Amino acid sequence: AKQRSRNGYQFYRDTLNIDVQPQLKIEAQLAGALDRGEFQLYYQPLVDLRTGIIRSLECLLRWNSPVLGSVSPSIFIPLAEAQGLILDLGTWVLTQAAEQISVWRAADQPDLYMSVNISPLQFEQPVFVGLVAGVLNEFQLPGDALLLELTEGSLIHDLEASNVKLAQLRDLGVRIALDDFGTGYSSLAYLRQLQVDVLKIDRSFISSMATEGPAFVSMILHLAQHMNLMTVAEGVETEEQRDLLRSLNCDVGQGYLFSRPQPAEVIKTLLAAPSPA
Ligand code: C2E
Ligand code: CA
Ligand code: CA
Ligand code: CA
């Protein structure tokens, strides 16, 4: 037993050496990355499953560090949240996203809108609704040019306060999506109590259709349709998935089948191309 625990400790320590050092390096680089202009937004189309037309874009942060190379948002977003950098970074994202959608709307796509991921800490800021209103005003945008993607985690810790804020955002015309639906602990229980417009079904459900069949996705879609929510399937990678989702009356698809997240210049040419039938 002694030997086993010593091995266990050894293993643990080696793991720490591999994992923690780069994390400290990442944290050190992250602290100044916004000021150094190292972030960029990429955009991924959300496609109407019936018509193939691009309805909107989700902006996704990219960090290309001259020291570390490109770092995945699933690594640096949690660190930015821990550092508090997410507030400034989130405001930067919101502003960039609004500016970009105002450019695309002015260039012949007046109904296009932008989905922006909002961290729980951002949403909890007392000034958050004011920030959104300010950005809309700055770029002369109606509220429906923006759709905010929130996860259950940011909404349920104070349901009442969340619903007050959601109502204020809706008064601005801004719509709300519940992101990663199905991955939380209590999605179903809270869905009834949250005022949202769009349900984004997590990629894990879409990829499981191939092996497990469409029962879960079908159930979520029925529920959302019953509640008059717009439905988005995340992580659509194959034509089979797209066809199945279409037959289940899912409204919108997002995933590598349609396009990876791309820089604005590439999206611009996608928007200009004639849409598939
Ligand atoms: P998310 O909001 O669920 O974003 C969708 C993620 O799925 C993106 O990863 C996207 O690139 C990826 N994806 C899209 N289609 C497919 C597909 O067909 N297959 C697969 N395998 N993946 C697909 P990404 O860009 O690495 O972002 C990861 C997460 O980081 C996001 O998950 C979001 O939670 C967070 N994030 C990204 N940008 C921001 C931001 O500006 N603010 C905040 N707060 N979080 C962000
Ligand atoms: Ca999202
Ligand atoms: Ca998601
Ligand atoms: Ca996700």
Side-chain angles (χ1 to χ4, degrees):
K2 197 178 177 189
Q3 174 125 18
R4 202 182 295 151
S5 81
R6 204 170 65 206
N7 284 342
Y9 173 69
Q10 193 104 36
F11 175 73
Y12 180 59
R13 205 180 52 184
D14 288 348
T15 309
L16 279 185
N17 282 339
I18 293 163
D19 286 339
V20 169
Q21 262 185 341
Q23 172 163 334
L24 290 175
K25 262 194 204 160
I26 294 171
E27 285 173 354
Q29 289 301 313
L30 187 59
L34 183 58
D35 291 337
R36 291 191 301 269
E38 294 172 4
F39 291 104
Q40 192 187 352
L41 287 183
Y42 272 37
Y43 304 91
Q44 188 177 34
L46 280 80
V47 174
D48 187 309
L49 284 173
R50 277 182 308 114
T51 62
I53 290 172
I54 298 176
R55 285 261 204 102
S56 66
L57 301 128
E58 178 176 2
C59 66
L60 293 157
L61 255 177
R62 294 293 176 261
W63 177 25
N64 201 350
S65 157
V67 177
L68 303 162
S70 114
V71 183
S72 161
S74 50
I75 292 181
F76 73 76
I77 295 279
L79 296 177
E81 286 171 338
Q83 283 185 357
L85 173 71
I86 195 70
L87 298 185
D88 285 347
L89 187 54
T91 302
W92 181 84
V93 168
L94 201 56
T95 310
Q96 291 286 306
E99 179 169 25
Q100 185 61 69
I101 199 64
S102 75
V103 169
W104 282 330
R105 282 167 73 104
D108 220 25
Q109 307 267 346
D111 297 327
L112 206 62
Y113 56 95
M114 185 77 81
S115 292
V116 185
N117 291 289
I118 303 294
S119 137
L121 291 168
Q122 272 180 283
F123 185 69
E124 278 166 25
Q125 294 175 100
V127 295
F128 181 69
V129 176
L131 266 174
V132 174
V135 164
L136 290 173
N137 190 44
E138 182 178 350
F139 298 101
Q140 299 287 301
L141 287 167
D144 66 5
L146 292 181
L147 189 149
L148 305 182
E149 299 197 355
L150 293 154
T151 53
E152 179 189 302
S154 44
L155 297 169
I156 63 173
H157 105 111
D158 187 346
L159 264 184
E160 221 169 299
S162 294
N163 271 328
V164 168
K165 245 177 217 186
L166 294 183
Q168 291 169 338
L169 289 165
R170 291 157 131 248
D171 283 346
L172 295 172
V174 173
R175 281 166 300 166
I176 310 292
L178 202 51
D179 204 353
D180 301 342
F181 184 77
T183 59
Y185 282 108
S186 41
S187 306
L188 275 184
Y190 287 107
L191 185 58
R192 289 167 54 227
Q193 302 176 58
L194 286 167
Q195 302 292 316
V196 300
D197 307 278
V198 178
L199 209 61
K200 295 193 78 170
I201 305 171
D202 191 70
R203 171 160 58 90
S204 56
F205 289 99
I206 307 307
S207 60
S208 76
M209 289 196 305
T211 49
E212 293 168 25
F216 265 101
V217 172
S218 170
M219 182 206 70
I220 296 173
L221 287 170
H222 273 111
L223 186 71
Q225 284 150 11
H226 177 74
M227 298 179 71
N228 279 320
L229 302 177
M230 185 176 126
T231 49
V232 178
E234 298 190 306
V236 180
E237 294 182 346
T238 68
E239 291 178 355
E240 289 74 19
Q241 289 169 342
R242 181 201 56 198
D243 294 344
L244 189 51
L245 288 161
R246 196 192 269 153
S247 74
L248 295 169
N249 291 320
C250 182
D251 298 312
V252 171
Q254 175 180 11
Y256 296 167
L257 176 68
F258 306 108
S259 167
R260 292 189 174 250
Q262 311 262 25
E265 314 84 71
V266 179
I267 295 296
K268 192 180 154 194
T269 63
L270 273 185
L271 289 172
S275 58

